[in-house]
Amino acid sequence: MEIHQLEYFLAVSTCMSFSTASMEINVSQSTLSHQIRKLEDELGVKLFIREPRSVRLSPAGEEFLEHTRKILAAIKTSQEAMQQYTNYIKGHLSIGAIPTIAYLGFNRIITKFIQSYPGISVEIHEANTDDLLQWMYEKRVNVSFITSPFVDQYGVTFHPLVEDTVVALVPASHRLANSDRAIDIHDLYREKFLMIKSSSGFRSRLIEACNDAGFQPDIILESSHVEILRGFVEEQMGVALMGLRIAQSISSPLTSIVHLKQNIKRQNGLAVPRVKSIPLATRLFLDFIINGSAGA
């Protein structure tokens, strides 16, 4: 006797029709009839009284229906009880994260992971990409959400998750504010630059883009916190280059987003150390993201 046979029996008992039951449980009528006959042969009784245009339970079938309902209910209860042990894996996960994590949707990923694995405690350490790479090497954090390009001197595997296009955040009163066209980055050559302190690789990429346009950017301030940069932009201290997603999240009535002709990309994703032994919580988190359970 198998579980699917009990489910088939319950379906026919409910529908009182083999054809209707076969459609309800999405199996062929011949398969359904065959499995019911196998069940009857094993039990040694007829469960149904088959008539030309209908079917009804036999006395044995009526009694067996009560047992079937109890058995299937008990199986469902057992499965639900065991599910909590499947997800209730105990462990600890230390995550490194760039300060812009909330603007890139990574908070949602972490939230879903915690909900899926309530037995794993999570702590988040915030820093720029360069520091996070070193922290992973020193085993202070297990994984890190970082920005690419970056200088990989420690050996990590990078899994891209969110791609962003670099734009300029300028004061609302700026001559280029509310421009309906993308500007050349050369149009900013006289500006003071406020730079996100994210990674040396990304910083170098921005400086390289300015150099390619024929000028050296005058960087007067750097900060890991984009809200601080926005404040200085609002005070008309300069312009800030950052990802579009971030700019859209922090922009205010005192600032304006200007698109660039140069297609400068900022990749954001998860970095994992290339080591032989990875803790269970780290493996689960990586699998959670790569296999799409995160839905990020």
Side-chain angles (χ1 to χ4, degrees):
M1 186 185 305
E2 299 182 24
I3 294 175
H4 72 271
Q5 291 176 324
L6 298 180
E7 292 172 336
Y8 290 175
F9 169 70
L10 180 61
V12 177
S13 300
T14 302
C15 298
M16 285 301 173
S17 166
F18 278 82
S19 60
T20 303
S22 66
M23 290 187 289
E24 286 288 330
I25 59 179
N26 197 30
V27 298
S28 67
Q29 187 171 339
S30 60
T31 297
L32 180 60
S33 298
H34 176 68
Q35 290 298 322
I36 294 297
R37 289 193 184 280
K38 282 185 63 176
L39 180 60
E40 289 177 324
D41 290 342
E42 183 176 347
L43 294 172
V45 297
K46 291 295 182 183
L47 298 173
F48 294 100
I49 298 174
R50 295 165 176 81
E51 298 176 342
R53 294 182 178 274
S54 64
V55 63
R56 57 189 174 88
L57 286 168
S58 67
E62 291 178 351
E63 182 173 344
F64 189 68
L65 177 59
E66 295 181 16
H67 294 296
T68 297
R69 285 173 173 159
K70 291 178 181 178
I71 292 170
L72 292 178
I75 290 173
K76 182 179 180 181
T77 300
S78 299
Q79 290 173 334
E80 291 174 347
M82 293 302 101
Q83 186 64 34
Q84 66 174 319
Y85 293 102
T86 300
N87 288 339
Y88 205 82
I89 299 172
K90 292 185 177 181
H92 179 75
L93 179 65
S94 182
I95 301 174
I98 51 178
T100 52
I101 178 175
Y103 303 121
L104 299 170
F106 295 155
N107 279 9
R108 184 169 60 253
I109 294 175
I110 296 172
T111 297
K112 288 184 177 181
F113 177 78
I114 292 173
Q115 291 171 342
S116 299
Y117 296 96
I120 296 178
S121 61
V122 175
E123 60 178 330
I124 299 176
H125 301 274
E126 187 179 288
N128 61 54
T129 293
D130 294 337
D131 288 341
L132 292 174
L133 291 171
Q134 183 175 345
W135 288 0
M136 282 192 294
Y137 176 74
E138 296 171 351
K139 298 183 179 180
R140 294 171 59 183
V141 295
N142 302 116
V143 297
S144 291
F145 288 105
I146 66 173
T147 294
S148 176
F150 57 89
V151 179
D152 183 12
Q153 56 180 320
Y154 301 110
V156 300
T157 299
F158 181 68
H159 302 276
L161 298 175
V162 178
E163 184 178 77
D164 217 356
T165 301
V166 174
V167 297
L169 189 70
V170 305
S173 59
H174 193 277
R175 58 188 173 84
L176 297 173
N178 303 314
S179 175
D180 57 358
R181 62 178 180 83
I183 67 166
D184 193 291
I185 198 171
H186 178 75
D187 294 336
L188 301 174
Y189 79 98
R190 292 182 178 178
E191 304 294 335
K192 304 294 184 182
F193 281 82
L194 313 172
M195 194 73 73
I196 295 180
K197 193 176 182 181
S198 56
S199 74
S200 56
F202 182 64
R203 184 181 190 277
S204 298
R205 178 68 187 90
L206 294 180
I207 293 176
E208 179 185 357
C210 294
N211 293 162
D212 290 343
F215 71 99
Q216 181 69 23
D218 183 8
I219 302 172
I220 63 169
L221 184 145
E222 293 185 64
S223 175
S224 298
H225 296 279
V226 290
E227 297 87 351
I228 292 177
L229 296 182
R230 180 195 59 200
F232 282 107
V233 171
E234 291 174 339
E235 294 295 329
Q236 303 182 37
M237 287 288 292
V239 301
L241 298 179
M242 62 183 65
L244 176 59
R245 286 172 178 257
I246 298 172
Q248 289 175 331
S249 297
I250 68 168
S251 183
S252 74
L254 297 178
T255 63
S256 178
I257 298 172
V258 179
H259 293 265
L260 304 175
K261 290 181 179 178
Q262 284 79 0
N263 190 26
I264 307 171
K265 296 297 183 182
R266 172 187 167 107
Q267 287 279 4
N268 306 278
L270 185 71
V272 183
R274 286 199 293 268
V275 293
K276 292 183 178 180
S277 179
I278 299 178
L280 175 59
T282 303
R283 294 202 309 269
L284 290 172
F285 187 65
L286 182 60
D287 182 69
F288 187 80
I289 291 177
I290 293 178
N291 289 336
S293 299

